[in-house]
Amino acid sequence: MAQAFSARALLFTKLAAIGIAGMLVAGAVTAYEHFDGPYRLGDAPPQPIPFSHKHHVGDDGIDCRFCHAGVETSSFAGIPATQVCMTCHSQLFTDAAMLEPLRRSAVRNEPLRWTRVHRLPDFAYFDHSIHVKKGVGCIECHGRVDRMPLMRREAPLDMQWCLDCHRDPGPHLRDPARVFEMTPTSAEQATRGVPHVTLATTRRLIDCSTCHR
């Protein structure tokens, strides 16, 4: 029986299939690396207002929970509503040009469209509240926000990075009462109140279903 395709046609088909597969893999890798947007680690994405954590947290000493009200009770820390910002800025810097988007938001009753700096893929489950309750300081994931004029992503937040902490959480834990302090966690280890981590707890932390539900 005669061969339906020539050797050259078969070779071309195989090369085309390999090329398509390669492009699909490259596309998947690129999509995974940029699942949180086009901004690289360390970049500060543009925002409707150049909000400075350095000024508000570092200089003025505003507690994280004043703006991120859900961080202790919800999986999502929350982005402050315009009314929260206006608690101060209805009295302070009322004519500042950079705050015009805030004033317009208040007048029109339309929320500001902030750009997410930290974003996990949909297949990864993360709960802020449980990390806060267990004594994971804000700086473990977000870095020294009190020194950031513009908010940037400090940690990669990829699977390996999370697992490094889940396999050995002890060095990353502090007294839950001091979670919101901007001091390095290494300086907290001699304090009281650091949760005890058992082997059973560690095994549960690295179980697939803990983060993928």
Side-chain angles (χ1 to χ4, degrees):
M1 181 178 180
Q3 188 172 351
F5 299 98
S6 67
R8 178 175 296 181
L10 289 173
L11 177 61
F12 177 80
T13 302
K14 291 178 180 178
L15 291 175
I18 292 173
I20 292 172
M23 287 188 289
L24 289 174
V25 171
V29 170
T30 301
Y32 176 77
E33 290 180 345
H34 298 281
F35 64 81
D36 58 348
Y39 308 106
R40 296 181 181 274
L41 189 67
D43 285 349
Q47 301 288 0
I49 298 173
F51 181 88
S52 171
H53 278 80
K54 180 182 183 299
H55 170 69
H56 290 81
V57 179
D59 299 338
D60 292 345
I62 297 177
D63 190 281
C64 304
R65 291 162 287 188
F66 184 79
C67 297
H68 303 289
V71 70
E72 293 182 290
T73 58
S74 172
S75 61
F76 180 51
I79 297 175
T82 296
Q83 289 72 22
V84 174
C85 303
M86 292 300 289
T87 301
C88 296
H89 289 297
S90 60
Q91 305 294 324
L92 301 175
F93 305 108
T94 55
D95 295 327
M98 72 169 61
L99 295 180
E100 175 57 29
L102 177 65
R103 294 190 291 270
R104 185 166 58 247
S105 171
V107 170
R108 297 180 180 178
N109 195 29
E110 296 176 353
L112 290 166
R113 296 186 178 277
W114 298 99
T115 300
R116 287 283 297 272
V117 177
H118 301 86
R119 182 188 298 276
L120 295 179
D122 292 339
F123 55 77
Y125 174 78
F126 178 85
D127 190 318
H128 268 93
S129 64
I130 190 62
H131 287 78
V132 170
K133 291 174 183 176
K134 294 300 182 180
V136 180
C138 298
I139 67 170
E140 288 295 322
C141 300
H142 299 294
R144 292 297 301 268
V145 298
D146 60 323
R147 297 178 179 176
M148 296 183 188
L150 295 174
M151 190 65 188
R152 64 180 184 272
R153 184 158 57 94
E154 188 79 4
L157 304 183
D158 57 24
M159 181 174 175
Q160 187 57 56
W161 184 84
C162 294
L163 280 174
D164 287 343
C165 183
H166 277 213
R167 290 191 179 105
D168 185 21
H172 305 278
L173 302 180
R174 60 176 66 194
D175 183 340
R178 305 183 70 179
V179 162
F180 301 100
E181 295 182 9
M182 289 288 108
T183 53
T185 304
S186 58
E188 304 291 333
Q189 300 309 303
T191 63
R192 297 180 180 179
V194 176
H196 178 64
V197 180
T198 65
L199 179 60
T201 299
T202 302
R203 287 175 177 170
R204 180 70 183 90
L205 288 175
I206 61 175
D207 190 281
C208 298
S209 63
T210 298
C211 300
H212 303 292
R213 303 183 178 183

